[in-house]
Amino acid sequence: MKLKDRIAGLAVKYRHAWVFLYILIYMPWFLFLERHVTTHYHVIQIRLDEQIPFIEYFIVPYLMWFAFIAAVFLWFFFHDVPGFYRMAKFMFTGMTIFLIISTVFPNGQDLRPVVFERDNIFVDMVRALYRTDTCTNVFPSLHVFNSLSACIAISGCEKLREHRGVCMGAYVLAGLIILATMFLKQHSVLDVLGASVMAYVLYQFVYAPHKRRVPKYTRQKRPLLQNK
C-alpha cells in the first residue's frame, strides 16, 4: 500500500481527532485568566478547610492526574469512539463552564501554607507546584471534575468493566487525586463540592440518556437470540 493511501486510511479511521481542537479554545482562555486574575478575586473557602491538614505526600497522586486523564482519553480514542465522544462532550462542557465561571466570577483561595513544617523532596515538589500554578481560578476544581469524568467514562464502558483491576485502580487513583486537592491546599472543600455537583448535573444530559437507551436495545435483541 502506498504511503499516501495509508495516510488517507489513518485520517479516515481517526477522524474523530478533530475533538482535540478544543485545546485551541481552552488554553488561550485559561492562560488569559491565569495572567489577569491575580489579586482581585472572591475568596472561596470555609472554616472546614482550616481543619484539613497539609500533607505533602499527596503531591504524588496530584501530579499523576495529568497522566491519568491523558491515558483514559487516549484509550477511548483508540478503542471506543462513541465513548470517546461522550467523554469529550462531558469533560469539555464542564471545562467551558469552569472558564465562564472564572471569567464572570473571579475566584481564588488563601489556604496555602506560608511556612512548611517539614523539609523533604515532597515539600520541594509542592513548592514547585505553587510557583507554577496560581491560587486563583479554583472553582469548580478541574482536577476533581476531570477525575470524575474519567471514572464515569470507565464505568460506562463494557470493555473496561471486564477488567475489574483496571477499574478499581482508576477509582482509587481518582479518589486520591480528589483528596490531594484539599490536603495540598490547592482547593477548598467548596471547589470539590462544586465540581461534584457539576459532574452530577452534566451526567443527566450526557450519560443518563445513553444508559436508558442501552437496556431497550438489549431487550429488543434478546427474543431474536432465543429463536436461534
Side-chain angles (χ1 to χ4, degrees), residues 14 23 29 40 87 114 128 150 157 164 178 183 192-193 200:
Y14 298 117
I23 197 69
W29 194 345
H40 298 88
M87 183 179 178
V114 178
C157 178
R164 293 187 178 182
I178 292 171
F183 282 113
V192 175
L193 292 176
Y200 175 79

Side-chain angles (χ1 to χ4, degrees), residues 214-228:
V214 171
K216 293 180 181 180
Y217 178 81
T218 303
R219 286 196 296 269
Q220 290 173 354
K221 288 293 184 180
R222 192 173 297 161
L224 297 176
L225 294 174
Q226 291 175 347
N227 292 335
K228 289 185 179 180

Side-chain angles (χ1 to χ4, degrees), residues 75-181:
W75 189 92
F76 276 91
F77 178 82
F78 289 109
H79 301 285
D80 184 355
V81 176
F84 170 79
Y85 275 122
R86 282 191 294 274
M87 183 179 178
K89 181 179 180 181
F90 185 91
M91 190 178 291
F92 293 168
T93 300
M95 292 167 67
T96 302
I97 292 173
F98 157 78
L99 291 172
I100 293 172
I101 291 175
S102 297
T103 301
V104 302
F105 183 73
N107 58 82
Q109 50 90 354
D110 299 321
L111 296 169
R112 293 177 174 182
V114 178
V115 178
F116 295 96
E117 297 179 359
R118 296 173 293 277
D119 190 14
N120 53 51
I121 187 173
F122 300 103
V123 171
D124 291 339
M125 294 168 68
V126 174
R127 288 194 182 102
L129 173 65
Y130 286 177
R131 286 195 298 268
T132 57
D133 188 18
T134 70
C135 61
T136 57
N137 307 311
V138 295
F139 182 86
S141 168
L142 283 190
H143 253 68
V144 174
F145 175 75
N146 286 350
S147 295
L148 293 174
S149 300
C151 289
I152 291 171
I154 291 171
S155 66
C157 178
E158 292 185 10
K159 292 180 181 179
L160 286 176
R161 282 203 302 266
E162 296 175 358
H163 303 280
R164 293 187 178 182
V166 174
C167 293
M168 289 305 299
Y171 301 153
V172 169
L173 177 57
L176 291 173
I177 291 170
I178 292 171
L179 290 175
T181 63

Side-chain angles (χ1 to χ4, degrees), residues 13-47:
K13 183 178 181 180
Y14 298 117
R15 58 185 178 275
H16 50 291
W18 69 268
V19 170
F20 292 117
L21 292 175
Y22 175 74
I23 197 69
L24 300 179
I25 298 174
Y26 177 80
M27 284 308 299
W29 194 345
F30 177 74
L31 292 175
F32 173 83
L33 292 172
E34 285 287 278
R35 293 194 197 98
H36 292 83
V37 181
T38 55
T39 54
H40 298 88
Y41 53 82
H42 300 84
V43 178
I44 306 293
Q45 58 194 66
I46 57 177
R47 185 171 299 177

